[in-house]
Amino acid sequence: MGGARSARARLLAAIAVLAAGAAGPAGAGDCAGTERLADGWTRIAAPAFGAGLDTLTGYDVSGASPDHLAATNGSAIATSTDAGCTWTLGDLAADAPPVSDLPLGDGVPVVPQSISQVRFGGGAAPAVWAIGQTDVVIDGTTATRPRVLLGQAGGPAFIAVVDGLPPLGRPVAIRGMFGRAAVLLFQTTAPRVEYAFYATTDGATWQLVWGDQDEQSDFVVDWVSPGAFEQPVVWAWSSNGVLMGKIGELAPRLLPEINGNVQTVDLALTGRDPANLHVFFTGAAERSVSDDGGANFTAAPAPVGVRSASSFHLAPGVRALATESDVLIEAPGRTVDVSPADANVRDVRFGSPVADRGMPLYAFEPRGLYRRTIPLGLLPPRPPAGDGGGTDVDVDVRDRDANLATAAIEPARAAIRLRPGQRKVVDYRVALPPVPTPLDVFFMTDSTGSMRRTIASVQSGVQGIVDGLAETGISVRFGVADFRDYPRDENDRTNYAYRRLREVGPIDTGLEEALESLRTGGGNYTGGHDAGLEAIYQAATGAGRVDVLGRQLVQPGFPAGFRPEAMKVVLVATDDNFRLGGPTDPAYPGPSLDLVSKTLRGKGIYLVGLEVDTNSGSARTEMERLARDTGAVAPDEGVDCDGDGIADVAGGGPIVCTFDPKAGDTIAGAFVQMLAGIEDYAPVDIALRGADRYVRPLGTQHFPSVNVKAKNAFRLPVEFTCTAENAGTETPLRIVAQRAGEEVGATTATFECVAPDPIEPAPPPRPRPPLAVAFVPPPPPPPAPVPNPQPNPNPNPNPQPNPQLNPNAGFATQEEQQVQLALADSTLRLDDELAMTGLDRAGPPLPAVAWAAAFAMTGAAAFGLHRSRRTGVAPARVPRD
């Protein structure tokens, strides 16, 4: 192990070994016409069609095999069974019925035929459907005849399937189902334009399903929630809206909840899961989502500019979206940009993972196809035991910290104090520490004679695994079993198909004794194979086995004994082939490979394998299949099985390591990496306790699938509102982080909506005194005229040469100044009393002081004028020479 420190470093560096990723199919990027790109995509060149241009107008990938492709350039069809390494050109059927058989007149020239769409059916040998049209010109008028072709991937022959369709019209879209069944959307062009749905179950004759439909541009067909729908469900759309109908019903129904949007571009269905129906719209920033099979829809955000969408039918909640510039993968709790670096692709589609290592995603552009395998780490969590679902593991393990114990929530103990009419948004952030998941490991080894040189290394290696995992702080329990082959007869005591030496339990002397009890012996008696597949099945079920003669081959009641809450792993070490039955071994009484795979997935059990190199045989193919099916695949950086710093299992490959006992290696390093990388997914909730309508969360509070073995951060904005209704209240709150329903952190907050200050009654207005004008006594009467007036004896000997006229004559006398002061001292509020004088002014009203000054000046001038008129006093005159 190289010491505790190096072991821990190696362990933490490879903590995500069971994170899912994937490589392309065997040979992808290594054959003519394909090229591996640095960004993770593989470019597949368009095939040489022979007719028309060598550019693509459409394609499809089989839902049963991700290596089966069909492509068209609008004129010809090519198919591939090896992910585009080689292509087979289709031998397209002649137009049927012949043009001359149509009741349209004589001398009909035929315009070159076209192909508008290619689609795969379902099943192990999927059919390839193609639709298009043939335009004929009759007496100068063009008529459109339907073209529907049926073939098979890798097979050149295509036949025409138009029996039962109107003679004139255009196939709009087609969707293949299992076998040779298909549904067709058809536009009749004569004698009137009409849209209708047709179906075939035998690939030979079409029958009308729904006639006289509104215009539709495309559709999908699927089974949603078996049991709820016995017949396939059709979802059709155009700019007019979205329809949904079950085949066999009178007519599809319009979905008014989502028809406020127009120009629907795709309907992403998660197969057989009514809780994941998504409708996307061209140019819209929202989608319509249904969680009840399409009965009701609600609006949800969506990336802007979605042009196509595809769902992964084995992974609820996983979708690929192609926008105008990006390719995005949506998965529970995350969105990942996987756009190619050198092309703007569209028309994204998932292929089946059955024959591949992850989720193969295809995309289209005219020069060819692009393929990238999406890591299984984007899958949602495995359902509880017995539900038969997939598994979910996480690929981002760079930020681990096993020392954190509780969630950190900020701001802590916040106090929010608002006044009526105010609102505030507090941004709460929750840091969730990683949690070491309990881990149950059931180690099984082939103990036949060919393993004699290996068994000691296996024993010491398992002890190294125990030591290495103990350093992580993960709660680990181990069980031990071995297997050989079925007994030859009732007297054969050296062979057995399965023997449990110790059920899963704590690391103690019982585990040590079980490891030390491993001994080699027995051997194979038919074809050199062993009962490893039976042993795996028995470890998962404890079902026992009885042969056709009633002999008890395996005693029931001895499963591995996994804890329900633990991550469950079966480790298998063998140097021989598994017995599989079939033509070479028809007497094989055990389970099939498919049954074992389904059982492991249903019970939430991972399988990882160790191929021991003794030149006896190999069960690598079967172990890789089981590892891949249960999600035990390597991350992008691969798996270093022997600790030499070089990945021995490529990224995306099933975790099956090769062990050479002659090299003196131990299996500890490889198994430590395998086991420590297993991820654990659980729901996380951010609860707001004590909230009312004045305290409102603005973000997501429930996260259904979170890898709790990694550090996670969440954000929850909370809005606080203070109104007249809740004024004077104080609300205590708790913000709680929950993991799988268990509280792992909390903080408090206090929200006070302050009561408004009491309003003091306004004092009564002071009474306005009457206008105070100072009394000025009238001037004395002028003196009586004097007869024979005498000239002034003392005229001014020095008259002012330039006398200054007083422009404000009203202010010239003391009496006038007294009037001015009296007006200025008045308590009259001129701004109120004279406000009407400014109603017609364009500018702002004059302030009160300006009004008072103007009024005083006007009054004083008036009194001065009055005095001058009554006294006859005139301004001084300049005497003339």
Side-chain angles (χ1 to χ4, degrees):
M1 296 289 293
R5 183 179 300 275
S6 61
R8 178 177 176 82
R10 285 206 313 255
L11 175 65
L12 294 178
I15 198 82
V17 168
L18 279 186
D30 300 322
C31 55
T34 68
E35 177 186 3
R36 293 184 187 272
L37 305 177
D39 57 9
W41 289 84
T42 294
R43 184 191 296 120
I44 303 172
F49 286 102
L53 301 176
D54 289 338
T55 55
L56 298 180
T57 58
Y59 84 102
D60 198 19
V61 55
S62 168
S65 172
D67 294 347
H68 285 195
L69 302 175
T72 181
N73 64 347
S75 301
I77 301 172
T79 62
S80 174
T81 59
D82 54 11
C85 285
T86 58
W87 294 88
T88 299
L89 291 180
D91 182 9
L92 307 187
D95 193 63
V99 174
S100 59
D101 291 348
L102 290 174
L104 300 174
D106 299 327
V108 179
V110 178
V111 177
Q113 298 170 322
S114 63
I115 299 294
S116 60
Q117 192 178 80
V118 288
R119 293 290 186 186
F120 274 99
V128 178
W129 290 92
I131 58 173
Q133 63 189 54
T134 300
D135 294 334
V136 295
V137 180
I138 304 147
D139 298 330
T141 302
T142 300
T144 300
R145 301 186 54 236
R147 194 179 191 202
V148 182
L149 304 173
L150 175 61
Q152 189 170 343
F158 279 78
I159 62 173
V161 183
V162 294
D163 187 17
L165 296 177
L168 295 179
R170 176 181 67 91
V172 178
I174 192 168
R175 292 294 185 275
M177 297 185 290
F178 288 100
R180 297 163 71 91
V183 178
L184 176 69
L185 174 59
F186 191 88
Q187 180 194 15
T188 302
T189 56
R192 67 187 183 92
V193 176
E194 177 185 350
Y195 287 81
F197 284 92
Y198 291 82
T200 179
T201 58
D202 57 7
T205 302
W206 295 98
Q207 294 181 340
L208 180 66
V209 177
W210 296 308
D212 196 18
Q213 296 293 301
D214 293 333
E215 178 182 354
Q216 302 296 320
S217 58
D218 206 346
F219 75 100
V220 294
V221 58
D222 203 347
W223 287 264
V224 180
S225 185
F229 297 102
E230 297 177 357
Q231 297 290 336
V233 177
V234 173
W235 305 72
W237 62 87
S238 71
S239 59
N240 298 326
V242 178
L243 298 174
M244 182 183 74
K246 183 171 65 175
I247 293 181
E249 293 181 343
L250 294 178
R253 65 183 180 89
L254 188 69
L255 301 178
E257 298 92 342
I258 62 177
N259 287 316
N261 295 288
V262 296
Q263 299 181 12
T264 307
V265 297
D266 208 343
L267 179 63
L269 289 177
T270 301
R272 300 165 178 82
D273 184 357
N276 284 282
L277 306 180
H278 290 244
V279 184
F280 295 88
F281 305 94
T282 300
E286 69 176 31
R287 73 190 79 185
S288 289
V289 180
S290 174
D291 60 1
D292 55 9
N296 298 280
F297 282 86
T298 58
V304 176
V306 173
R307 289 295 181 266
S308 66
S310 177
S311 61
F312 189 65
H313 282 218
L314 300 182
V318 176
R319 285 170 294 277
L321 308 177
T323 69
E324 296 175 348
S325 58
D326 301 315
V327 176
L328 306 175
I329 302 296
E330 288 189 342
R334 76 195 79 170
T335 298
V336 182
D337 189 335
V338 295
S339 307
D342 68 337
N344 187 11
V345 296
R346 61 184 187 272
D347 202 4
V348 289
R349 296 179 192 175
F350 276 119
S352 169
V354 173
D356 206 348
R357 303 167 180 177
M359 300 182 292
L361 176 67
Y362 284 88
F364 162 88
E365 65 111 10
R367 295 175 300 169
L369 302 179
Y370 280 69
R371 171 175 173 145
R372 178 169 182 167
T373 309
I374 305 303
L376 291 174
L378 294 173
L379 291 176
R382 182 195 306 271
D387 284 0
T391 185
D392 193 12
V393 289
D394 190 77
V395 297
D396 186 4
V397 297
R398 293 170 294 179
D399 192 9
R400 301 294 181 103
D401 186 354
N403 297 322
L404 295 178
T406 60
I409 304 178
E410 294 181 350
R413 296 181 295 279
I416 298 92
R417 192 171 188 267
L418 302 177
R419 292 185 177 277
Q422 294 181 330
R423 62 179 291 273
K424 182 177 183 179
V425 175
V426 177
D427 202 15
Y428 280 94
R429 298 186 179 272
V430 180
L432 196 66
V435 178
T437 307
L439 182 63
D440 285 357
V441 182
F442 196 62
F443 174 71
M444 297 197 308
T445 180
D446 173 4
S447 62
T448 58
S450 59
M451 290 283 285
R452 185 173 295 124
R453 298 179 57 188
T454 308
I455 201 69
S457 296
V458 171
Q459 290 170 320
S460 62
V462 171
Q463 187 59 55
I465 294 172
V466 172
D467 294 340
L469 289 174
E471 298 179 14
T472 68
I474 298 175
S475 172
V476 183
R477 292 193 175 194
F478 267 88
V480 181
D482 69 333
F483 57 89
R484 295 177 183 175
D485 202 355
Y486 296 98
R488 295 181 176 89
D489 50 48
E490 59 271 12
N491 298 319
D492 185 357
R493 304 301 181 198
T494 61
N495 284 298
Y496 43 83
Y498 169 75
R499 182 180 66 163
R500 189 183 74 182
L501 300 173
R502 197 255 186 147
E503 69 175 342
V504 172
I507 300 173
D508 54 14
T509 56
L511 174 61
E512 183 180 358
E513 292 171 357
L515 293 173
E516 290 178 353
S517 69
L518 286 170
R519 297 289 185 273
T520 57
N524 315 119
Y525 66 92
T526 303
H529 297 174
D530 60 39
L533 203 59
E534 176 77 88
I536 297 170
Y537 183 76
Q538 295 298 327
T541 65
R545 179 71 60 191
V546 177
D547 68 5
V548 295
L549 300 178
R551 295 181 301 172
Q552 193 75 50
L553 300 179
V554 179
Q555 292 294 327
F558 293 94
F562 293 116
R563 291 174 289 177
E565 72 277 10
M567 301 293 292
K568 308 165 185 67
V569 182
V570 171
L571 300 180
V572 180
T574 183
D575 71 340
D576 214 337
N577 301 81
F578 288 161
R579 195 178 297 283
L580 298 173
T584 61
D585 189 9
Y588 168 64
S592 66
L593 185 62
D594 287 341
L595 177 60
V596 173
S597 174
K598 179 180 178 181
T599 301
L600 292 175
R601 294 197 310 269
K603 293 183 174 294
I605 301 172
Y606 295 95
L607 185 132
V608 294
L610 184 73
E611 180 191 36
V612 180
D613 183 11
T614 63
N615 297 319
S616 296
S618 174
R620 188 178 192 92
T621 299
E622 293 76 24
M623 289 193 294
E624 286 186 345
R625 158 76 187 278
L626 295 176
R628 183 169 54 242
D629 288 355
T630 60
V633 293
D636 291 339
E637 63 271 21
V639 175
D640 179 10
C641 292
D642 52 15
D644 62 357
I646 301 174
D648 301 289
V649 178
I655 302 177
V656 177
C657 289
T658 299
F659 172 64
D660 184 359
K662 300 184 295 294
D665 296 334
T666 68
I667 63 174
F671 280 174
V672 166
Q673 288 202 34
M674 292 185 226
L675 298 176
I678 299 175
E679 307 296 338
D680 185 16
Y681 280 73
V684 171
D685 294 274
I686 312 300
L688 196 59
R689 305 282 172 76
D692 54 22
R693 62 194 180 106
Y694 304 108
V695 180
R696 184 169 65 103
L698 301 180
T700 302
Q701 292 182 265
H702 177 65
F703 304 86
S705 178
V706 177
N707 173 27
V708 297
K709 288 185 69 176
K711 287 182 67 175
N712 293 281
F714 307 91
R715 173 179 173 268
L716 179 63
V718 177
E719 180 186 62
F720 298 85
T721 304
C722 183
T723 70
E725 296 178 354
N726 64 327
T729 63
E730 185 173 299
T731 306
L733 301 165
R734 290 186 78 237
I735 297 87
V736 179
Q738 293 179 311
R739 180 175 48 223
E742 179 182 356
E743 184 175 315
V744 292
T747 189
T748 60
T750 302
F751 171 42
E752 181 183 3
C753 182
V754 180
D757 295 332
I759 301 175
E760 297 181 358
R766 291 182 300 172
R768 295 177 178 177
L771 182 64
V773 179
F775 174 74
V776 179
V786 178
N788 302 317
Q790 297 295 321
N792 189 351
N794 295 310
N796 186 0
N798 296 307
Q800 184 176 353
N802 296 305
Q804 298 296 320
L805 297 178
N806 187 351
N808 295 310
F811 291 92
T813 66
Q814 180 179 0
E815 293 88 340
E816 292 166 351
Q817 293 174 6
Q818 290 174 346
V819 173
Q820 178 183 351
L821 293 175
L823 290 174
D825 289 340
S826 172
T827 58
L828 177 65
R829 297 182 60 188
L830 300 177
D831 54 335
D832 294 335
E833 298 295 335
L834 302 179
M836 295 180 61
T837 63
L839 291 178
D840 296 329
R841 299 186 182 215
L846 292 172
V849 174
W851 277 112
F855 189 83
M857 293 170 62
T858 304
F863 275 102
L865 179 60
H866 172 74
R867 180 177 181 274
S868 66
R869 286 179 176 175
R870 292 198 54 185
T871 60
V873 177
R877 297 176 180 270
V878 179
R880 297 181 178 177
D881 294 332

